Structures are given as C-alpha cells and as structure tokens.
C-alpha cells in the first residue's frame, strides 16, 4: 500500500506533458501540446495536452484525464502501478505501508515465479538459436511455418530439447530452487523431470509483458503425444483470465478499436507478422468472462475468425452469449474451407486478408439466425426452438435500443411478427431478473446458484491478478 501522503507528493510532482512525451511525440501549439492520439487511429493530431491544467484530451475519440488515467489506459496499469511508475520517474521514494504477512508472502512467491519463468524463457531461446538440435529441429520448423526470425524473437519463441531434465539441471547450476520450478509448472509434479520436452515453446505473457506461463508444441509425430501442452494454473497464471497475444496486441487493439480473436498461437504470430496486430487467441477453450473483460478494457468490438467447418462454428456460437452479456459487439468471419488464419494470410497476403475479413464480417446474432434457419427449413417445431434460442441471446444484451434493432432484423429474417419476438424476449428478461433477485436475496456467501467452476481456486478479482505484474 502506498501512503496517502506519498500519493499526494507524486501527484504534485507530475507534469503531464513529460509523462505523455514518454509515449507520444508532442509539439507546441500555443500553451498546449498536440500530437497523434495513441488511443485511436488518426492522421491529423487531435490529441491535446494541457500543461497548465495537467490534463489531456482527445477531440477525436474523447479520451481524457490526468497522467494517472493516461498510464492506466495506455499501459494497462492498475492505479497503484501507475503511481509506482510515476514515483520512479520523479524519484519519489515510496515507503510502502505494511502489507499483511500473507500479502507479502504471496507477492514474494509471485515475484520468484516470474524470475524462474524468465530464466526458462532464456534457456528455451538459447536452445533454439545456439544448439544444433534447436537449429535443425525447432528453428527449421518455425521457418517452414513461414515465421521470420525477428518474429520468433519478438514473441520469445524457444525450444525444449527432448531430454529428461536439462532445464532442471541448468536451474540447479544457477541456483534456482527446484521447488519453484515445480510450483510454476516447469517440472513434473514429483520434481524429477522437465515438464516440457521435445517441444517448441511459446511463452504466454501477462498484460504487462511478464512471462506467466508456457505452451509447448510437440515435435514428435507420435499421435499418442498431445500436440500442445500448457503450464498448469499457478499463482501467476489463471487460464480463464489470459489471452495469448494480449500484451503484444493491446496497443493495436486500442488504436483500431477492435479485437480479432483467433484460435491458435501461430495464428496470432502469423497475423502479427503480416502487420495485423490487433489479434489475440483464446487457445482453443471457449471464451470466458475473464477473457471478455480483458478485451473490454481495450475495445467493445470483437471480431471472431472461424475456420469454415459449420459443425465447429455452431458449437462455438453457443459460447458467445457471454460476450453479448458484456455488451460487446460481436462479428463473425468464416474463413474459406480448409484455411485457418495462419495459412490464409500466408496464402493471400495481408492486404487481401484485411479486405476479406472486413467484407465477410457478419453480425453474430444475424449470422446465428441465418445459420440455424437454414437447418430448420420446413420444420415448424424446430423453428420454434430456434426462435427461443435466438431470443435467449438477444435477451442478454443490456442495451434496450440495440435489442430493439435486433428484434426488428430477426423478425424479418425469421418471418415472425416483431410483437411476438418482443413478448418472448421480455419473458426471458423477466425470468433472468427474478433469478438474479433470488440470488441477491441469498447473499452474502450464497453459492448454491453460482456457476460451477472447473477448478476450486478462489475468484481472483481482476485487480488482484494484475497486481502480481507490478
Ligand atoms: Zn483519440
């Protein structure tokens, strides 16, 4: 905790133009400074910094505030992180208020896990670039997949040779405790063997760019070996609050005011390499609330790219209602049959790819309606089921105006009167409200109706999760 006195000291010391100039180049105009807004894409500057009032304001996208707001928005810092950053810049010493012993222990553990992951990151990179096996197996694989060396380096890709305990041995030499390697999931649970062996390695960063976990893709053609494995959940890695590429992509997502979601690590990497940088991957799992909130911190517009297999797409659509609840605008893009984002962008190039995804993007609800309508043609009972299904999605949208617009469109698509659809939706909304009221009445601590979780970790609030990354 930072004492209030120090917070005031920091705020008094801050000169906003000095802070913002660390990120944006500004020039003088009268008493103000102007520059190109880092929060939206623009060619003529509408981003204003007012040194007298110590605030900034963009007349293009409306973002504005003080230096702390700027850092929180621009760097995805939490409030304390922004304060610490400013304290360092202005040489203000922070005498932290005593943390509880548990908090301190937690923070120390998180710090040491990051250190061990950094060590592993370097180790995997050395294995990739500086060993014969790394070069002939892993580097050759990346090259064959069309990944350039600068991309390999910027994503921190590496290689874990097919040896039982090379990483453990190296860790021992430099003095990292085997217990920490076990805790962060880099060794087997009994601590005797490396967790990742014979795999190319993808570090998974948290939002501030620290390595929270790894994923490894096998170099073996043995079908019994899982293609990808991931670090287990740890104090610093909560899977359902992590998106691959979120760190590398956050700036572009904010500038484009859109997040493109793909499935695989190599999709993210390949699109980045092609200059399409507002991309993250959910790594196969269906989207969770935590992941959606991560997206929502930077944009309300989500574009999801699917490989063109209709069965797979239908299954995926079921998970998307969560995004509607979060009030995200969801668009779907189907890629041509047999293509994934990686193969497709390499085949047609970035410009054509960009055109394709903006041309083919379809609104999620209308897309779902059309897809299901085709299936229920001539079958009134199934069609009734479909209407309920779609209305269930629409009922989740918090904004009544948006809801109304969808009902209108769906009414004409499904050939059902708008009135009927309105009634159906209202019924569903009322049911949801009643359920929520019941739930609230049983608070606090009533967990009977809480959504079931696959793990038994306590809910880590977003703030807490980010705090580990200071
Ligand atoms: Zn702006």
């Amino acid at each position: 905790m930072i004492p209030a006195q120090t917070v005031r000291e920091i705020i008094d010391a801050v000169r906003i133009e000095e802070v913002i100039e660390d990120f944006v180049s500004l020039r003088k105009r009268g008493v103000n400074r102007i520059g190109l807004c880092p929060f939206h894409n623009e060619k003529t500057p509408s981003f204003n910094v007012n040194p007298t009032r110590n605030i900034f304001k963009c007349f293009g996208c409306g973002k504005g505030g003080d230096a702390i707001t700027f850092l929180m928005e621009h760097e995805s810092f939490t409030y304390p992180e922004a304060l610490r950053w400013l304290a360092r810049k202005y040489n203000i010493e922070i005498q932290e208020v005593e943390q509880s012993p548990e908090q301190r222990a937690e923070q120390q553990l998180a710090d040491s896990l990051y250190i061990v992951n950094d060590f592993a990151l370097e180790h995997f990179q050395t294995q990739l670039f500086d060993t014969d096996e790394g070069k002939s197996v892993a580097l050759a694989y990346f090259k064959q997949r069309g990944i350039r060396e600068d991309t390999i380096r910027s994503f921190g890709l590496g290689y874990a040779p097919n040896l039982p305990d090379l990483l453990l041995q190296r860790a021992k030499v430099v003095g990292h405790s085997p217990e920490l390697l076990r805790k962060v999931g880099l060794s087997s649970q009994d601590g005797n063997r490396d967790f990742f062996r014979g795999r190319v390695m993808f570090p998974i960063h948290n939002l501030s760019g620290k390595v929270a976990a790894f994923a490894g893709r096998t170099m073996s053609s043995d079908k019994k070996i899982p293609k990808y494995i991931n670090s287990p959940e740890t104090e610093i890695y909560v899977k359902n609050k992590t998106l691959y590429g979120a760190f590398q992509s956050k700036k572009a997502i904010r500038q484009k005011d859109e997040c493109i979601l793909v499935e695989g690590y190599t999709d993210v990497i390949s699109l980045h390499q092609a200059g399409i940088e507002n991309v993250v991957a959910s790594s196969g799992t269906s989207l969770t609330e935590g992941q959606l909130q991560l997206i929502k911190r930077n944009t309300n517009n989500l574009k999801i790219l699917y490989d063109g297999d209709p069965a797979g797409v239908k299954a995926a659509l079921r998970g998307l209602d969560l995004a509607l609840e979060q009030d995200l605008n969801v668009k779907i893009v189907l890629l041509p049959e047999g293509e994934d984002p990686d193969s497709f962008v390499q085949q047609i190039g970035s410009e054509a790819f960009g055109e394709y995804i903006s041309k083919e993007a379809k609104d999620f609800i209308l897309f779902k309606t059309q897809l299901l309508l085709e299936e229920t043609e001539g079958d009134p009972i199934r069609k009734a089921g479909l209407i309920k299904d779609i209305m269930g999605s629409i009922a989740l949208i918090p904004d009544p105006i948006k809801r109304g617009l969808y009902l209108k469109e769906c009414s004409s698509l499904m050939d059902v009167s708008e009135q009927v659809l309105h009634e159906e939706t209202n019924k569903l909304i009322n049911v949801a409200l009643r359920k929520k009221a019941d739930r609230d009445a049983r608070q606090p601590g009533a967990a009977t109706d809480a959504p079931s979780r696959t793990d038994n970790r306590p809910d880590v609030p977003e703030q807490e999760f980010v705090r580990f990354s200071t």
Side-chain angles (χ1 to χ4, degrees):
M1 282 275 289
I2 305 169
Q5 172 66 32
T6 317
V7 173
R8 216 162 304 128
E9 206 182 319
I10 295 169
I11 289 172
D12 288 343
V14 166
R15 292 182 54 192
I16 190 153
E17 69 276 21
E18 295 174 348
V19 173
I20 289 180
E21 266 183 329
D22 284 351
F23 305 93
V24 180
S25 72
L26 298 173
R27 55 195 165 79
K28 269 199 154 153
R29 180 183 282 175
V31 288
N32 288 353
R33 313 279 162 97
I34 58 164
L36 291 174
C37 178
F39 301 112
H40 83 280
N41 217 346
E42 63 176 5
K43 296 213 168 61
T44 47
S46 46
F47 183 78
N48 277 254
V49 178
N50 182 333
T52 334
R53 295 181 56 206
N54 238 357
I55 53 166
F56 73 95
K57 172 85 189 168
C58 171
F59 294 103
C61 65
K63 283 247 154 69
D66 60 11
I68 295 174
T69 337
F70 179 85
L71 290 170
M72 288 171 73
E73 292 272 346
H74 194 267
E75 295 299 286
S76 298
F77 284 162
T78 60
Y79 183 69
E81 283 168 351
L83 284 172
R84 285 200 186 92
W85 189 95
L86 290 168
R88 265 197 302 278
K89 183 174 172 73
Y90 290 100
N91 291 318
I92 295 166
E93 199 190 340
I94 297 181
Q95 297 270 0
E96 303 260 350
V97 177
E98 198 78 353
Q99 288 176 309
S100 75
E102 292 86 23
Q103 283 172 328
R104 205 164 37 236
E106 207 174 69
Q107 184 67 54
Q108 275 166 358
L109 174 62
D111 289 346
S112 359
L113 295 182
Y114 283 124
I115 290 171
V116 172
N117 271 350
D118 274 345
F119 161 75
L121 175 76
E122 255 189 70
H123 167 81
F124 294 140
Q125 284 176 312
T126 309
Q127 294 301 313
L128 175 68
F129 286 112
D130 302 337
T131 67
D132 288 339
E133 186 185 330
K135 280 185 233 172
S136 65
V137 177
L139 205 52
Y141 166 79
F142 285 135
K143 296 248 157 93
Q144 173 248 320
R145 296 285 310 248
I147 305 177
R148 293 192 310 256
E149 189 167 326
D150 58 317
T151 313
I152 294 175
R153 293 198 189 267
S154 73
F155 277 86
L157 308 184
Y159 178 57
N162 200 8
L163 295 166
D165 59 357
L166 182 66
L167 179 68
L168 277 164
Q169 297 292 350
R170 288 284 155 86
K172 205 183 275 172
V173 174
V174 264
H176 289 301
S177 115
E179 177 56 16
L180 282 175
L181 268 86
R182 194 188 60 76
K183 270 206 169 126
V184 81
L186 283 166
S187 71
S188 56
Q189 277 313 298
D190 60 15
N192 291 329
R193 290 192 306 166
D194 291 351
F195 183 73
F196 296 101
R197 301 182 309 275
R199 289 175 183 272
V200 289
M201 299 299 295
F202 300 81
I204 299 170
H205 298 87
N206 69 13
L207 262 193
S208 36
K210 291 190 179 181
V211 178
F214 291 93
R217 185 199 189 280
T218 184
M219 289 287 94
S220 158
S221 52
D222 186 344
K223 289 268 182 288
K224 277 175 289 186
I225 296 176
K227 198 163 158 195
Y228 279 94
I229 56 173
N230 272 64
S231 306
E233 295 230 330
T234 63
E235 280 76 1
I236 56 171
Y237 180 45
V238 182
K239 279 184 191 172
N240 64 21
K241 292 192 170 161
T242 308
L243 285 165
Y244 182 72
F247 167 66
Q248 288 90 344
S249 308
K250 64 179 177 186
K251 246 175 218 153
I253 291 174
R254 240 175 277 151
Q255 276 169 355
K256 300 247 161 77
D257 193 17
E258 176 181 86
C259 176
I260 297 174
L261 181 79
V262 294
E263 216 179 295
Y265 306 115
T266 47
D267 295 326
V268 172
I269 293 171
S270 206
L271 289 179
H272 257 263
Q273 187 168 274
I276 300 164
E277 297 184 341
N278 51 331
V279 197
V280 298
S282 60
S283 328
T285 54
S286 60
L287 276 174
T288 64
E289 205 177 326
Q291 291 171 329
L292 290 165
Q293 279 163 359
L294 215 59
I295 293 170
K296 237 188 120 68
R297 280 163 77 166
N298 295 313
T299 182
N300 280 320
N301 302 308
L302 177 61
K303 196 177 267 176
I304 308 180
L305 308 194
Y306 286 118
D307 313 354
D309 157 30
V313 173
K314 231 178 89 190
L317 291 185
R318 257 173 243 136
L320 284 183
D321 282 353
L322 262 183
L324 297 178
E325 262 177 289
Q326 300 278 335
D327 213 9
L328 284 161
N329 307 314
V330 186
K331 293 207 162 140
I332 307 280
V333 179
L334 279 191
L335 297 177
E337 195 105 26
E339 301 282 358
D340 58 34
D342 176 19
S343 66
F344 194 44
V345 75
Q346 298 212 27
Q347 187 200 309
I348 66 169
S350 56
E351 203 173 314
F353 186 90
E355 279 165 21
Y356 180 90
I357 62 170
S358 53
K359 199 175 87 227
E360 292 293 317
K362 299 207 173 67
D363 179 88
F364 160 58
I365 292 195
L366 304 181
F367 176 84
K368 184 171 167 182
T369 311
Q370 262 156 355
L371 187 78
L372 298 184
L373 266 180
E374 280 163 27
E375 283 182 9
T376 57
E377 208 157 303
D379 185 341
I381 295 180
R382 285 189 66 200
K383 187 172 169 188
L386 150 77
I387 294 173
K388 283 211 163 66
D389 184 348
I390 305 279
M391 293 310 115
S393 293
I394 294 181
L396 295 171
I397 301 173
D399 180 356
I401 299 173
K402 242 197 246 173
R403 265 199 324 259
L405 291 172
Y406 277 120
L407 290 176
K408 202 178 184 111
E409 291 251 22
C410 288
S411 145
S412 77
L413 272 176
M414 301 193 285
D415 197 19
V416 179
S417 89
E418 227 180 303
Q419 176 68 19
V420 171
L421 297 183
H422 261 291
E423 279 163 19
E424 181 64 29
T425 317
N426 286 340
K427 232 189 291 173
L428 291 166
I429 292 173
N430 285 332
V431 170
L433 284 176
R434 242 192 338 267
K435 269 196 189 151
K436 188 180 179 301
D438 283 357
R439 245 193 337 261
D440 290 349
R442 269 177 284 142
Q443 292 284 348
T448 39
D449 208 25
S452 63
R453 296 170 60 90
T454 46
D455 54 25
N456 54 7
R457 297 176 56 85
D459 255 311
V460 186
E462 194 80 358
Q463 287 293 95
E464 287 298 302
F465 179 53
V466 178
R467 190 168 59 74
F468 285 133
S469 56
T470 12

